[in-house]
Amino acid sequence: MDWGTDLWDQCDIIDKHTLSGLDLVDRYIKFVKERTEIEQSYAKQLRNLTKKYAKRGSKEEQDCNRFSNHASFQEILNELNDYAGQRELIAENMMTGICVELTKYLQDIKSERKTHLADAKKAQQNLEGSFKNLESTKKRFAKEWAEADKATQQADKTESDLNATKLDVEKARQHAHARTHTAEECRNDYAAQLQKYNKEQNNFYYTEIPHIFNKMQDMDERRIRRLAEGYCKFADIEKNVVPIISKCLEGISSAGLKIQEKQDSLLFIEQHKSGFERPGDVEFEDYTQGIKPATSDSSLNPPKVRTKLWPFSKKHKISHAEKHMPTASEDFSHLPPEQRKKRLQAKIDDFSRELQKAQDESEALDKMKGVYEKNPQMGDPSSLEPQITETTQNLGRLKGELAKYESWLSEAVGGEDSSNTINNNIRHSVGAADQPHNIYTEFDDEFDDMEAPIGQCAALYTFQGNSEGTISITEGEMLSVMEDDKGDGWMRVLRASGEEGYIPSSYVKVNP
């Protein structure tokens, strides 16, 4: 069964049918495009959703992520973000694998259909032209035969006319004979044209048109097969990402199974336990023995405690000591004991890493300087002096900071008893002598007796003291030495203006 045999006379129907098929391909392309737009919009909304609920990276949020239920939610957001990526991949593959390919194929098949229709139209026009020639030859034959018949009748009439001469009869007979001969020639032309037309018509209906229509049938069947492949690919593209989507969903389920409520509770306790002892019993106040001020060791009415002095400071007036006192945010003294120890240890770890890095950099510069000194052509050793000086200063600063935090940690670890802690602070800052007997007495009086200098020194270089506890000095300035270098590269000095603080030991020359 083919179009050429069964639909040889249905050219218009075939034209409409093939056009309808092309329209269906175009509609399917538009359908897939809208599907890709939906997928892209869905993926975009999912990404915006995960971004909205994702942690921004603040310290508090990072601490929350240590809890399994918080961390699992972040994993769910990550998996959902990957899921959105798969929806985008579906849209991209549908656009390239279906829309782009079918659009190109549609243009090709439109061109092919146009060629087949043009061939059919040309064959039809050729047959119609041949038929016009047949009709023209037929009309001429009819006309000439009528003229020949009329001439023959006229010759017979002339011959029967008694008044006609022999010459008139001869002329009439010759005229009739000529007309008859012409009519015979037209008859032969008509017969030949008829035979030619019948042959062309037979070829048109049995060869040309069936061949063209069969080509159009093959074209339409190829179009249907290609469209069927597009239908299947519509599903296959999504099937290809189903395993990855399943992994994303499994990851979400796995994140839920990772949650450990008991561990989260223990972690919460570890993070926030203060280390304080519970309040003791409130003592009974016996008014029968006379009114006496009740005292209690409980923390419901804690006695006023002297503000802690900076561990590196010594005996000064309070106004001067407050200048060098660490802020609550620096020594974490505002935190409960357990939390303070954790924070101090974290700072010590940070400074230790920075110190190691600075030491490595210093060693590298020293080696490079040695290479330059042995091989001047490789570089000028003096060009490294600024970097070496800067590194030396940084090393001194980091050592000072590390010692400072180690001292605070030592105080926090060894000072579970608040009285011992404050006594140690006082012994470290004021000296073992003249310790106050009541450590909870508020220090309202100033220390009038100043610490005596242990020597003099002159500044070799200008130093800008920007960190906590340091002071700035200028080259050539005379300074009083209040505390020698303890091996960390720093010494405490007193300026003539009364300003006191730490400076690098290498920046001054101590007078003998």
Side-chain angles (χ1 to χ4, degrees):
M1 302 291 288
D2 51 53
W3 292 5
T5 301
D6 300 295
L7 300 176
W8 59 270
D9 57 344
Q10 300 295 331
C11 184
D12 290 341
I13 299 299
I14 291 175
D15 184 359
K16 291 180 181 179
H17 177 74
T18 53
L19 181 61
S20 173
L22 298 183
D23 289 341
L24 178 60
V25 175
D26 187 58
R27 285 177 59 204
Y28 183 63
I29 291 172
K30 291 179 180 178
F31 162 75
V32 176
K33 281 184 178 178
E34 290 195 21
R35 165 70 189 276
T36 60
E37 291 173 358
I38 291 173
E39 291 289 354
Q40 290 170 344
S41 176
Y42 178 47
K44 183 178 180 181
Q45 291 178 15
L46 287 178
R47 289 194 183 280
N48 289 338
L49 180 65
T50 57
K51 184 177 180 181
K52 176 181 178 181
Y53 285 92
K55 295 295 186 180
R56 295 293 186 269
S58 67
K59 183 65 170 62
E60 182 178 353
E61 291 169 340
Q62 290 176 359
D63 289 342
C64 286
N65 283 339
R66 296 175 61 188
F67 296 99
S68 62
N69 57 104
H70 286 265
S72 292
F73 183 57
Q74 293 305 308
E75 288 186 27
I76 290 173
L77 294 178
N78 293 335
E79 294 292 351
L80 189 60
N81 195 57
D82 293 341
Y83 176 86
Q86 297 307 308
R87 306 315 303 188
E88 290 174 338
L89 184 61
I90 290 174
E92 181 181 350
N93 290 342
M94 283 188 175
M95 180 61 70
T96 57
I98 298 179
C99 297
V100 174
E101 290 186 7
L102 280 184
T103 298
K104 184 179 182 301
Y105 177 74
L106 182 61
Q107 296 302 321
D108 295 339
I109 203 170
K110 279 183 178 180
S111 177
E112 183 181 351
R113 175 178 176 274
K114 184 178 180 181
T115 300
H116 293 325
L117 291 176
D119 291 343
K121 185 176 182 181
K122 183 178 179 181
Q124 181 70 31
Q125 288 174 346
N126 291 338
L127 183 63
E128 289 175 355
S130 180
F131 182 75
K132 287 181 180 179
N133 290 336
L134 176 62
E135 288 293 313
S136 176
T137 305
K138 179 181 177 181
K139 288 179 181 179
R140 184 183 176 192
F141 165 63
K143 180 182 178 183
E144 291 298 331
W145 185 256
E147 290 292 335
D149 186 55
K150 183 179 178 181
T152 301
Q153 291 178 4
Q154 185 64 33
D156 291 342
K157 184 178 179 182
T158 301
E159 186 177 0
S160 62
D161 187 358
L162 298 175
N163 295 325
T165 63
K166 186 178 180 179
L167 181 61
D168 291 336
V169 173
E170 188 65 27
K171 285 183 177 181
R173 288 296 177 188
Q174 289 179 355
H175 180 68
H177 180 72
R179 281 293 180 180
T180 300
H181 180 70
T182 302
E184 287 293 336
E185 288 181 349
C186 289
R187 181 177 180 275
N188 292 335
D189 290 343
Y190 170 61
Q193 186 63 38
L194 179 62
Q195 185 179 7
K196 178 184 177 184
Y197 174 75
N198 286 335
K199 183 179 179 181
E200 290 178 352
Q201 180 178 252
N202 184 73
N203 182 64
F204 176 79
Y205 286 113
Y206 287 92
T207 304
E208 285 188 298
I209 286 300
H211 183 65
I212 292 172
F213 284 1
N214 286 340
K215 283 185 176 180
M216 294 187 73
Q217 180 182 359
D218 178 68
M219 176 200 72
D220 195 61
E221 289 176 357
R222 283 187 283 111
R223 173 197 63 81
I224 294 172
R225 174 47 47 200
R226 190 65 176 269
L227 189 58
E229 292 173 358
Y231 291 165
C232 294
K233 189 174 288 188
F234 185 80
D236 292 340
I237 287 174
E238 187 159 359
K239 286 180 181 178
N240 291 335
V241 301
V242 165
I244 302 178
I245 289 177
S246 297
K247 287 184 178 179
C248 293
L249 298 178
E250 289 174 3
I252 292 175
S253 298
S254 176
L257 296 175
K258 288 180 181 178
I259 295 177
Q260 299 179 8
E261 60 277 7
K262 292 297 183 182
Q263 181 180 341
D264 285 359
S265 294
L266 293 175
L267 179 60
F268 177 72
I269 293 172
E270 184 64 25
Q271 281 187 346
H272 298 285
K273 67 179 180 179
S274 66
F276 289 132
E277 295 291 335
R278 291 180 176 83
D281 295 338
V282 178
E283 294 183 359
F284 176 75
E285 299 180 19
D286 190 355
Y287 288 94
T288 60
Q289 303 300 323
I291 298 177
K292 295 181 180 180
T295 58
S296 175
D297 293 334
S298 74
S299 59
L300 296 177
N301 296 290
K304 296 182 180 179
V305 182
R306 174 191 173 186
T307 304
K308 297 179 182 178
L309 297 176
W310 183 32
F312 290 122
S313 64
K314 289 199 174 181
K315 186 177 179 181
H316 308 294
K317 292 184 179 180
I318 290 180
S319 59
H320 184 66
E322 289 175 348
K323 186 186 299 184
H324 301 286
M325 212 180 295
T327 61
S329 60
E330 186 181 10
D331 69 346
F332 307 114
S333 58
H334 61 292
L335 296 176
E338 291 293 331
Q339 302 305 315
R340 184 188 183 200
K341 284 186 285 185
K342 291 179 182 178
R343 298 293 291 275
L344 288 173
Q345 186 60 56
K347 293 291 287 186
I348 289 173
D349 293 341
D350 291 341
F351 279 119
S352 296
R353 285 190 292 269
E354 289 185 33
L355 183 60
Q356 183 60 47
K357 183 178 178 181
Q359 287 174 343
D360 293 342
E361 183 179 352
S362 177
E363 291 176 2
L365 288 172
D366 290 339
K367 290 180 180 179
M368 188 179 296
K369 182 178 180 182
V371 172
Y372 286 177
E373 289 174 347
K374 294 180 180 179
N375 303 281
Q377 67 275 11
M378 296 183 65
D380 184 9
S382 61
S383 63
L384 299 175
E385 288 299 332
Q387 292 178 264
I388 293 175
T389 302
E390 182 180 355
T391 305
T392 302
Q393 294 177 2
N394 190 37
L395 278 171
R397 180 186 65 82
L398 291 173
K399 289 178 180 178
E401 291 292 328
L402 185 59
K404 179 170 62 176
Y405 279 95
E406 285 177 344
S407 174
W408 286 334
L409 179 61
S410 177
E411 169 195 326
V413 171
E416 298 295 337
D417 182 356
S418 60
S419 63
N420 292 336
T421 300
I422 297 180
N423 275 327
N424 290 337
N425 286 339
I426 295 172
R427 280 195 297 270
H428 188 72
S429 59
V430 182
D434 302 327
Q435 293 184 27
H437 296 286
N438 187 357
I439 61 174
Y440 294 112
T441 303
E442 190 163 358
F443 287 75
D444 295 329
D445 299 329
E446 296 184 350
F447 296 103
D448 295 329
D449 50 334
M450 296 295 295
E451 183 181 5
I454 61 176
Q456 298 292 323
C457 64
L460 299 175
Y461 313 102
T462 298
F463 171 73
Q464 297 295 329
N466 297 322
S467 59
E468 180 71 28
T470 62
I471 61 172
S472 300
I473 59 174
T474 57
E475 182 179 354
E477 183 178 0
M478 295 301 297
L479 306 164
S480 298
V481 180
M482 307 302 291
E483 183 180 336
D484 282 333
D485 185 351
K486 302 298 184 181
D488 58 2
W490 294 83
M491 62 189 304
R492 185 162 57 89
V493 298
L494 175 66
R495 301 182 68 185
S497 61
E499 187 179 6
E500 185 177 346
Y502 285 86
I503 62 170
S505 303
S506 58
Y507 274 56
V508 296
K509 179 180 180 181
V510 179
N511 296 334

